[in-house]
Amino acid sequence: MSILNVKNLHKDFGKLRVLKDISFDVNQGEVLSIIGPSGSGKSTLLRCINQFERIDGGEINICGMAMTYRDENGKTVYAPKKALHEIRLKIGLVFQNFNLFPHMSVLQNIIEAPVQVLRQDKQTAVANAERLLKKMGLSEKAKEYPCNLSGGQQQRVSIARAMALNPEVLFFDEPTSALDPELTGEILKVIKELAAEKMTMVIVTHEMQFAREISDKVIFMDEGYIIEYGTPQSVFEDTANERTRQFLERYRTR
């Protein structure tokens, strides 16, 4: 079952086209990793799907709901606000720089959206937050504030916060880029555990070995285009694309 379908998406910033005819799909329970050099459009693509940026053309379908579609004149239009809100509740995004509320405790950060957006009663939201903190190995940190946590702990709180809305698909925008190598391992372990539980995920990452191990599909992007799209085997081992080989070779020699 397709959870996410993107077709012929393009995005412009002024006269600069940063996403060019992007098409791919993600089925339920799959992990898709998006790799490529900085500036290739990876994070912009995630921001478009999560409604932080408006696209200039193409179609996005999430959980069978059209976020954007083409009208009778072929122009891309967005779904009504109510539908966009419903779609937003089906997806979660984990940012590279945590984006936790500094004036709220760990527990408050996690229950804020379920209580305010989903209108959950506070007792239910707290119970769910405590379950997620236990899953993240952070039960003892519920009353702490973000400033008292390590980067790895803050990112695990961010993952718990995203999962508190029970999303159908979870997006990660370079979740380890702000962490040192030791803390990076903490986050990759959590994501691997989610993959083992068949959580549908789309991950922008520079961790090549991790992407090879965890992914069902891999996209390699460059200059706003999808250069290659296939299995980890086809992209990392059997690629016939010279640009892909050049990119991967730089990582192998680091």
Side-chain angles (χ1 to χ4, degrees):
M1 174 184 169
S2 179
I3 293 290
L4 171 64
N5 181 267
V6 176
K7 186 176 180 181
N8 305 128
L9 184 153
H10 65 265
K11 167 66 181 175
D12 303 329
F13 287 120
K15 294 182 179 180
L16 178 64
R17 178 151 293 183
V18 294
L19 294 175
K20 306 164 185 176
D21 198 29
I22 301 293
S23 297
F24 65 92
D25 62 81
V26 182
N27 293 323
Q28 188 170 22
E30 285 186 336
V31 176
L32 169 70
S33 289
I34 305 177
I35 63 173
S38 297
S40 59
K42 306 182 301 296
S43 294
T44 299
L45 175 58
L46 259 57
R47 290 179 63 82
C48 287
I49 297 171
N50 282 270
Q51 301 182 39
F52 292 110
E53 300 282 356
R54 292 183 70 87
I55 67 172
D56 295 290
E59 302 173 24
I60 302 175
N61 191 289
I62 299 175
C63 298
M65 301 177 67
M67 182 175 132
T68 67
Y69 58 92
R70 290 185 175 93
D71 63 16
E72 62 274 9
N73 298 316
K75 181 182 178 181
T76 294
V77 295
Y78 273 78
K81 286 185 179 180
K82 182 179 179 181
L84 293 178
H85 178 71
E86 291 178 10
I87 290 171
R88 195 176 291 115
L89 295 178
K90 295 182 180 295
I91 58 182
L93 176 61
V94 178
F95 300 89
Q96 55 183 297
N97 292 318
F98 322 136
N99 282 26
L100 298 173
F101 298 118
H103 62 290
M104 293 184 178
S105 70
V106 164
L107 185 67
Q108 289 170 326
N109 264 280
I110 297 172
I111 70 172
E112 176 72 7
V115 171
Q116 299 298 327
V117 179
L118 297 184
R119 302 301 179 188
Q120 279 185 6
D121 66 89
K122 189 172 181 179
Q123 185 175 0
T124 299
V126 168
N128 189 43
E130 290 174 342
R131 176 185 64 81
L132 289 168
L133 285 173
K134 183 177 181 180
K135 185 182 184 73
M136 298 294 149
L138 294 172
S139 294
E140 76 285 0
K141 302 295 184 180
K143 295 182 180 179
E144 295 283 357
Y145 284 83
C147 62
N148 296 323
L149 303 181
S150 70
Q153 289 170 336
Q154 289 187 60
Q155 192 62 295
R156 280 183 278 160
V157 173
S158 297
I159 295 172
R161 181 179 63 179
M163 292 181 64
L165 291 173
N166 196 29
E168 295 289 334
V169 56
L170 197 54
F171 295 84
F172 292 85
D173 186 9
E174 298 187 19
T176 62
S177 67
L179 305 176
D180 63 40
E182 184 175 355
L183 297 180
T184 291
E186 294 180 12
I187 303 308
L188 299 185
K189 180 175 180 290
V190 169
I191 297 174
K192 285 181 178 179
E193 290 171 352
L194 293 175
E197 296 170 3
K198 294 298 180 182
M199 180 74 201
T200 308
M201 293 184 284
V202 177
I203 307 168
V204 168
T205 183
H206 288 294
E207 302 286 340
M208 296 299 113
Q209 184 60 37
F210 170 71
R212 186 188 324 210
E213 292 175 1
I214 199 174
S215 305
D216 297 290
K217 299 173 182 174
V218 177
I219 285 174
F220 171 59
M221 290 184 66
D222 190 31
E223 296 184 353
Y225 290 102
I226 290 180
I227 304 298
E228 196 153 2
Y229 173 36
T231 66
Q233 176 73 26
S234 67
V235 174
F236 287 103
E237 305 295 339
D238 302 328
T239 181
N241 186 283
E242 181 60 27
R243 181 66 186 94
T244 306
R245 280 203 300 267
Q246 290 174 355
F247 174 77
L248 293 175
E249 187 61 32
R250 284 204 296 272
Y251 273 90
R252 293 189 184 105
T253 55
R254 286 183 180 181

